[in-house]
Every structure is written in C-alpha cells, then in structure tokens.
Amino acid sequence: IPFKWQGASQTEMITDSDNTDFGDASINEWVIETNGNGTCVYDAGPGAVKTALVTIGATPGTYTGGKLPTTQISTFTEGKVVRVQAQVYLPTGHAWTAANVSVLNMANWTLLASSDANIATLDAWQTIYRDYLVGADVTGDVFVGGSGTTAADVLYFDNITITQLGAVALYTQD
C-alpha cells in the first residue's frame, strides 16, 4: 500500500512558550528546588534577555535551581528519547561546582548523553543538555540549576527546550 509523506516534527514539548523563554517577564510555573533554601525568580538577566535567576539562600544546601512540573509538558512516551536543554550564565565570582539540566522524580529513565556547563566559562551563555531514554514513570519535574554551597551565589537560565529525538514522521495512506 503506498503512503504519502505528510511532514515531520521535532515539536517543543513545553506547552507554554513563556516557560521556555520568560517572554512575558514572569517566572510562570518554575519554582525553587533545593535541599537548603534559595529563590528562583524572573530577572531581566544579563543583556536584558529575560531569564530565570537562581540564588542560593542564607542556609545553603548542596544544590539549588528551578524546576518545572511535567503538568506543563506534553506527556512523555515510555521508550522514546528526549533531549532536555537550556542555556545557563555563570557570572564572574561565582562558586558553583556544577550546573546542569536533569529530570527529577521520574524513575527508570536512562541517561544517554550529557553536556553540563563549563564552570570556568564566565559571563557568557552556555548551552547544556541531557538526553534520556524515557522510562515508565512520566510524572515529575525538569530541573535547571547547580551544585553550590555559597550563600547569595547566583546563576541565570533561559531558552529551555524539551524535544523528542529521532525520526518523527507522519505518513498517510495514499
């Protein structure tokens, strides 16, 4: 039976674009995630590009960042590969020991590839990502942040994307 090509897509899975680029000058559904205290708020950001600003609080834990619940993301499909990607900005004088993206509270996901921030790169935007094989548990959060224990330390993040990788094509019967 012949089939007709209809198109292909690497569609963004975050359902509200303001949760990807903070274009409405709001933090939207992003909230703080830390084992100490801190904040995750909207900020004009370096170069006034509209960003999220993560600040380690007065009682630091070992990690601090922002998280977005999967209720704000198109449903993940078990067995598919997805890329979680963001840009981070580490200002001069920071004391972070790592900065990355990840998924939280989603069991049985397999990390396939990653590129975390270069902590020595200062005052510049860096693209970071993690590729995952989606497991059975598709309810949780996406995290952007870092490891650090210095109160008042900051990092910025922006341009968060989640896309399914691989061949995505639509054919209809001709």
Side-chain angles (χ1 to χ4, degrees), residues 8-170:
S9 174
Q10 297 290 338
T11 304
E12 172 58 50
M13 295 180 73
I14 298 175
T15 56
D16 179 351
S17 65
D18 291 327
N19 278 320
T20 67
D21 65 8
F22 310 104
D24 65 347
S26 168
I27 199 64
N28 297 291
E29 284 74 34
W30 287 89
V31 297
I32 189 69
E33 172 68 18
T34 183
N35 60 347
N37 68 7
T39 59
C40 177
V41 299
Y42 167 78
D43 189 84
V49 297
K50 297 183 179 179
T51 69
L53 169 64
V54 173
T55 305
I56 297 176
T59 307
T62 57
Y63 64 88
T64 305
K67 70 178 180 178
L68 182 69
T70 53
T71 56
Q72 302 301 314
I73 301 166
S74 298
T75 303
F76 293 111
T77 303
E78 183 179 5
K80 300 290 186 179
V81 176
V82 296
R83 172 168 284 181
V84 181
Q85 181 172 295
Q87 290 183 309
V88 295
Y89 184 101
L90 302 168
T92 297
H94 81 84
W96 297 93
T97 58
N100 58 56
V101 296
S102 62
V103 295
L104 302 175
N105 306 313
M106 291 188 269
N108 303 318
W109 283 44
T110 304
L111 179 63
L112 302 174
S114 66
S115 178
D116 293 345
N118 179 340
I119 298 305
T121 299
L122 305 175
D123 302 321
W125 287 100
Q126 301 178 57
T127 299
I128 59 176
Y129 72 88
R130 293 212 171 157
D131 295 344
Y132 291 97
L133 176 63
V134 176
D137 185 355
V138 295
T139 303
D141 303 284
V142 169
F143 172 84
V144 183
S147 299
T149 57
T150 302
D153 217 352
V154 301
L155 68 74
Y156 301 87
F157 68 87
D158 197 10
N159 300 317
I160 307 92
T161 63
I162 304 171
T163 52
Q164 184 176 304
L165 300 180
V168 180
L170 174 65

